[in-house]
Amino acid sequence: MQRFAATYSRPSLQWDDLKFLRQHTKLPVLLKGVLHPDDAKKAVELGIDGLVVSNHGGRQIDGEIGSLDALPAVAGAVKSKIPVLFDSGVRGGTDVFKALALGATAVCLGRPYVYGLAIAGQRGIEEVIGNVLAEFDLTLGLAGCTIVREVTKDSLVKLQAPTKG
Ligand SMILES: Cc1cc2nc3c(=O)[nH]c(=O)nc-3n(C[C@H](O)[C@H](O)[C@H](O)COP(=O)(O)O)c2cc1C
């Protein structure tokens, strides 16, 4: 555990380190792992170019908030000032549709493309991406949308949790 913590984490990292990055590169800086709207606002203030709403594929804290559950509040806080990318759990076209409807500018695939790579190399990755795109295209059409811009939160219905008793 100590070896893992020493290799993967740097608890000393602060928001000021983002200022350092911003000052030392003209490349776009995207902040990944944002799940709280306050962090999103702070990132915008610091001149970050984009966010990735992500719980890193659910691989960090057991029981943490799902990325999709965090997305609407983060997107709301950003108010379209910078792109909001989304990942963790995107497996098919309907997942893409839901993420876009809840405020994502774009989505990223994590493990699915690696599975494709393991099975069939580059062709496997192309298959995975092609299938996700085709399924998204189909979902778009079946939901009555002709272009991505028409996918909004009104495209989804929030079901009430069943009440006890
Ligand atoms: C084996 C593995 C290692 C990962 N390592 C990192 C990492 O070092 N840093 C990071 O930000 N995300 C890491 N991730 C998370 C991915 O960047 C990405 O957020 C995640 O895989 C997306 O979720 P999905 O796999 O459900 O699509 C890792 C994911 C996997 C599966």
Side-chain angles (χ1 to χ4, degrees):
M1 204 46 221
Q2 275 173 349
R3 182 181 289 275
F4 173 83
T7 310
Y8 279 99
S9 59
R10 213 179 105 199
S12 62
L13 281 175
Q14 300 290 335
W15 285 99
D16 278 349
D17 292 302
L18 291 178
K19 284 188 198 155
F20 174 89
L21 270 183
R22 188 59 294 157
Q23 284 159 8
H24 286 80
T25 179
K26 291 192 174 73
L27 291 170
V29 178
L30 273 71
L31 189 62
K32 178 167 178 275
V34 176
L35 294 169
H36 197 290
D38 291 349
D39 290 340
K41 282 184 202 155
K42 216 164 184 172
V44 172
E45 282 162 22
L46 288 172
I48 294 302
D49 300 288
L51 302 179
V52 187
V53 173
S54 168
N55 64 12
H56 309 299
R59 302 175 69 257
Q60 299 298 311
I61 308 175
D62 195 18
E64 70 192 312
I65 187 170
S67 287
L68 199 72
D69 292 325
L71 178 60
V74 171
V78 168
K79 295 190 175 72
S80 305
K81 288 181 190 146
I82 54 173
V84 176
L85 278 62
F86 171 84
D87 83 10
S88 300
V90 177
R91 297 291 177 269
T94 53
D95 299 326
V96 178
F97 187 94
K98 287 176 210 168
L100 295 180
L102 292 175
T105 315
V107 303
C108 315
L109 293 173
R111 278 158 291 191
Y113 89 83
V114 187
Y115 298 150
L117 174 72
I119 291 169
Q122 180 177 336
R123 197 175 58 74
I125 299 176
E126 288 167 358
E127 279 285 321
V128 167
I129 295 172
N131 285 334
V132 171
L133 283 175
E135 206 179 287
F136 173 62
D137 203 27
L138 186 64
T139 306
L140 208 58
L142 291 173
C145 305
T146 50
I147 46 171
V148 172
R149 221 180 25 248
E150 289 174 7
V151 183
T152 68
K153 62 178 178 357
D154 294 330
S155 309
L156 302 180
V157 175
K158 192 177 169 104
L159 297 175
Q160 298 292 330
T163 47
K164 281 188 186 155

